[in-house]
Amino acid sequence: MKMESAEILNRFSENADNPSPDHNSNSNSNSNSNGDAVEDSIKSKSDGVGIIQPHSQLPKPEAPPGLSPVSPPPPVTENSFLDMPTIGKFIRERSNNFSAAIAKTLSSLKENIDADAWSETVMIKSDEVTQFNISGLKVVVKLKNEDEDENININGHDIKGRISFFSRSNCRDSTAVRTFFRQKGLQFIEINIDVYPKREKELIQRTGSSQVPQIFFNDKLFGGLVALNSLRNSGSFDHRFREMLVKKCSSDAPAPPVYGFDDDHDDESMDDLLDIIRVLRQKLPIQDRLMKMKIVKNCFAGSEMVEVLLHHLDCGRRKGVEIGKQLSKKHFIHHVFGENDFEDGNHFYRFLEHEPYIPKCYNFRGCTNDFEPKTASLVGQRLNKIMSAILESYASDDRCHVDYVAISRSEEFRRYVNLAQDLHRVNLFTLSADEKLAFFLNLYNAMVIHAIIRIGHPEGVIERKSFFSDFQYVVGGYPYSLGTIKNGILRNNRRGTYSLVKPFGSGDKRLELITQKMNPLIHFGLCNGTKSSPTVRFFTSQGVEADLRFATREFFQRGGMEVNLDETTIYLTRIIKWFKSDFGQDKEILKWIISYLDATKAGLLTHLLSDGGPINIVYQNYDWSMNS
């Protein structure tokens, strides 16, 4: 015990008195002379250690006998106007006092713990509990029993082991299994093979099929939903459950998904133009230039790029121009004013990563995604699957409440953020009308979740305006905010609420992507993360129209419209007021809504409309609080 205490004292003394390892050679010096202080200070200065002033209220006890002298003082610059010996002496005294205080405290602790108590502690440790009583502080350390790794409690019985099951996104059977375990209060590991595609091979090896769900108790295959329902209906689930989980989970059981494991990069390859881009990034004279009475930053001339290509590829100018057009089509470069794809001569361009909107794009993480762009339909499908999986795990069953904190910490969300980088240079013009509608509906809802996690939920009017305009993604080479997706793409380039200008001006490349016909149902497929907005959902291109109708019907039946027959008053969601131009006149709106109401509300509204009398329309207050 004395040896351990001495070692502790020496370590504390070294840590408190030696600012850096370079001072160890002087730690045993007893010299307090002025000359030594100057010499030590100059040496410390060469070591580059800064002065840390002690607190003025620190105690100043006498150093106990036998305590090793302290190390030299911290450094002082050669040009200091202070007296060097005085500074050295002052710091030595303060350092001595501080070390002495620590040593005195440790000595007191040592004396307070008698030998019997210490030996008793060691004996207790053999029983897997170690107890220390130190100056009023009680520390109890219980060693973890290996058999207690994973215990599940059911009907008052502790059961060792782990439940895991393979699933897919938007799978009804998988949802039923998940709901059953939640209702039972059982913890489980879900392996969604749409999120972790490489685990599908493991599923086939274990079960002989890719069909889901497949439930495992430890390493034993239990079966799917049919087996689960059979045991549940017979009332023997608890008994069978205990039988299969009487032992600790072995290493042969399906492994839980972990951070960074099973990232799917097998289908990714570097862009075939990447070697050329790397040369251009290094050799082009990228400068700020004055054009059209404004300074354009980080640009280069088309002729300069052609010259670099001529020297690097040993080709003609025509070939250089063709390569330039390919780079522009793949969104590696853009004309600074969007006037052309690429031309030789005094036309100026810049790389995508140098565009002025890039700092606002939260799916841009330091560099452009240089992998060969995936098709927009494939990226859209992956976005739908991974975000659906997130909602299934971290939202309520009715999707009215979303656990943003849990999402932010999840492996699924990390994978979504990685997926969002695939949007940089994707070609959106290959999408069909339904694919484009589903793509931008899903992108909007995913961006809202990302924005709430990344910048927080907006509280006031100014914050909301910034939320919908400043949080952006770079998609297909161009920036998209929540506002431009909703008002520009989905609303056929119409002005937003309280806005005087359209999202896209003439000549904007994004105009080619806007929907040809305004569909008012889109307002009930977009969730802005508030309690009064429609519930969050994600769409497939095959059933996007039917899903929008279902979402609209659900919204109005959930309180988006109420009827007071006595007062001949209709209470409508404020969404209708904000976007009235999308719905038409008052009576047209009411007739349109009837088909999305339940039988009771539809009958009341039909009765009011058939009377021919005046109908009062009152718009409900909008609850901007977060749907968490």
Side-chain angles (χ1 to χ4, degrees), residues 192-245:
N192 187 315
I193 58 178
D194 286 330
V195 180
Y196 312 102
K198 289 186 179 179
R199 303 297 294 271
E200 184 174 5
K201 182 178 179 181
E202 176 189 348
L203 171 64
I204 296 173
Q205 290 175 343
R206 289 180 178 273
T207 66
S209 165
S210 61
Q211 183 178 357
V212 294
Q214 292 293 341
I215 307 167
F216 286 80
F217 291 161
N218 290 338
D219 57 340
K220 304 295 184 182
L221 174 62
F222 175 78
L225 182 62
V226 174
L228 186 63
N229 285 335
S230 176
L231 285 182
R232 179 177 57 181
N233 295 335
S234 65
S236 57
F237 172 81
D238 292 354
H239 176 71
R240 179 70 182 278
F241 179 76
R242 285 193 294 271
E243 284 183 347
M244 298 187 74
L245 289 178

Side-chain angles (χ1 to χ4, degrees), residues 43 100 167 196 279 341 416 425 438 461 580:
K43 183 179 184 302
S167 67
Y196 312 102
V279 171
D341 291 334
Y416 163 74
R425 298 186 298 109
V461 176
K580 200 169 185 179

Side-chain angles (χ1 to χ4, degrees), residues 290-478:
L290 181 64
M291 288 176 282
K292 298 184 178 181
M293 302 301 293
K294 62 173 66 175
I295 296 177
V296 180
K297 294 187 175 183
N298 301 320
C299 61
F300 55 87
S303 58
E304 294 170 339
M305 192 175 93
V306 172
E307 290 294 334
V308 173
L309 292 174
L310 293 181
H311 287 86
H312 177 65
L313 300 176
D314 192 22
C315 63
R317 299 194 75 86
R318 179 178 295 179
K319 178 65 174 178
V321 172
E322 290 178 0
I323 294 175
K325 290 183 177 180
Q326 292 179 31
L327 295 175
S328 177
K329 185 177 180 179
K330 285 195 169 186
H331 302 294
F332 279 115
I333 63 171
H334 286 157
H335 191 282
V336 293
F337 298 123
E339 295 176 354
N340 56 59
D341 291 334
F342 182 80
E343 293 183 11
D344 194 358
N346 199 30
H347 301 274
F348 291 93
Y349 307 86
R350 59 183 156 215
F351 290 109
L352 176 61
E353 57 264 33
H354 293 155
E355 291 284 5
Y357 51 76
I358 285 298
K360 290 185 178 182
C361 294
Y362 284 79
N363 69 328
F364 191 92
R365 306 174 72 185
C367 62
T368 305
N369 186 343
D370 289 333
F371 287 107
E372 184 70 28
K374 301 180 179 66
T375 62
S377 59
L378 176 60
V379 175
Q381 291 170 11
R382 289 186 176 181
L383 188 152
N384 169 49
K385 289 178 179 179
I386 196 167
M387 292 308 298
S388 295
I390 286 175
L391 291 185
E392 289 168 352
S393 297
Y394 307 109
S396 60
D397 291 339
D398 60 5
R399 306 295 171 88
C400 292
H401 304 283
V402 180
D403 190 346
Y404 294 99
V405 175
I407 292 175
S408 68
R409 298 171 179 170
S410 69
E411 173 67 5
E412 294 95 328
F413 182 70
R414 186 190 74 84
R415 289 168 183 261
Y416 163 74
V417 173
N418 288 342
L419 173 65
Q421 295 179 89
D422 290 342
L423 297 169
H424 290 180
R425 298 186 298 109
V426 70
N427 185 3
L428 299 176
F429 297 99
T430 61
L431 294 173
S432 66
D434 285 346
E435 287 176 336
K436 184 165 56 178
L437 178 59
F439 180 92
F440 280 105
L441 286 169
N442 292 342
L443 182 61
Y444 182 97
N445 291 335
M447 285 177 64
V448 166
I449 294 175
H450 192 182
I452 291 175
I453 291 173
R454 188 68 177 81
I455 65 177
H457 187 265
E459 298 295 336
V461 176
I462 297 177
E463 290 82 2
R464 286 196 289 270
K465 183 177 180 181
S466 175
F467 184 85
F468 290 105
S469 62
D470 292 347
F471 187 91
Q472 300 179 6
Y473 275 11
V474 54
V475 184
Y478 297 98

